Amino acid sequence: MKKAIVLLSGGLDSATSAAIAVSQGYDTIALSFRYGQKHAKELEIAQNLAPKLGIKEHFVIDVNLSLWGGSSLTDNNLAIPQEGVNPQIIPSTYVPGRNTVFIAIALSLAEAASAEAIYLGINAVDYSGYPDCRPEYLQAFQNLANLSSKVGIEGKTPQLIAPLINLSKVDIIKKALSLNVPIDETWSCYQGGEIPCGVCDSCRIRNEALKQLGISN
């Protein structure tokens, strides 16, 4: 059976991407990270979601990016912005090098596990301006993957697949519903409270899409 690695953060997008991989017949392995984020809520959610999405194997890797900070998601001296999305700036929630590190580790796991694909929940439409969520970034990383591994030299590089990259958040939610993703069990909030904060960029984007579809939070 063909295999795929899915990057699973516990959020709506990554859960939907994982569900797509499963629906396309892949034996999926989930990969999540403790990267020094301020709360463990999203990891708890990811671990609960994996079996519900039909994923039997799940790795959680420690890569502490908080050692040097640079993001309000990892640095206790920086507050997570609550004033709303500003498309003109890259927000402080951007974590330097995060996706680059995550994809590199996913490629290592994919090669070791003989996986054909790596599924990513990145999105270039309804997002907060992160440079590592763009199609050109993904293509550049695919080119690197083709050059940087034994399987690449053999012409068998795992393909980086971002099925949501050009979808709006409304369309992502529609896709999630069609695949029976338990949307209310996902966690997109940048905060780690008992309930989503409702005011961080991620909450605002998610809540607006749910509102457009007439779905209560």
Side-chain angles (χ1 to χ4, degrees), residues 5-142:
I5 309 302
V6 296
L7 294 188
L8 187 64
S9 70
L12 171 61
D13 292 359
S14 71
T16 304
S17 178
I20 290 171
V22 172
S23 74
Q24 293 178 345
Y26 285 98
D27 178 11
T28 55
I29 301 171
L31 179 61
S32 305
F33 295 90
R34 295 186 190 92
Y35 62 90
Q37 59 268 58
K38 291 179 179 177
H39 64 83
K41 182 85 173 187
E42 60 186 18
L43 287 175
E44 296 170 5
I45 295 293
Q47 289 174 309
N48 289 333
L49 276 175
K52 295 181 180 182
L53 295 171
I55 299 169
K56 298 177 182 178
E57 192 170 8
H58 186 191
F59 291 96
V60 180
I61 305 297
D62 291 292
V63 184
N64 192 359
L65 302 180
S66 70
L67 291 174
W68 43 83
S71 168
S72 57
L73 296 187
T74 60
D75 189 336
N76 288 325
N77 294 317
L78 297 175
I80 293 172
Q82 299 181 355
E83 60 272 16
V85 179
N86 182 347
Q88 303 303 316
I89 63 171
I90 297 173
S92 66
T93 50
Y94 164 71
V95 181
R98 180 176 60 178
N99 281 352
T100 300
V101 171
F102 289 1
I103 296 172
I105 294 174
L107 282 166
S108 174
L109 173 57
E111 185 168 16
S114 298
E116 299 176 14
I118 297 170
Y119 276 70
L120 313 166
I122 61 175
N123 177 258
V125 180
D126 285 337
Y127 77 124
S128 295
Y130 299 157
D132 52 3
C133 288
R134 297 173 298 162
E136 54 266 44
Y137 165 84
L138 194 64
Q139 184 56 58
F141 215 123
Q142 184 69 66

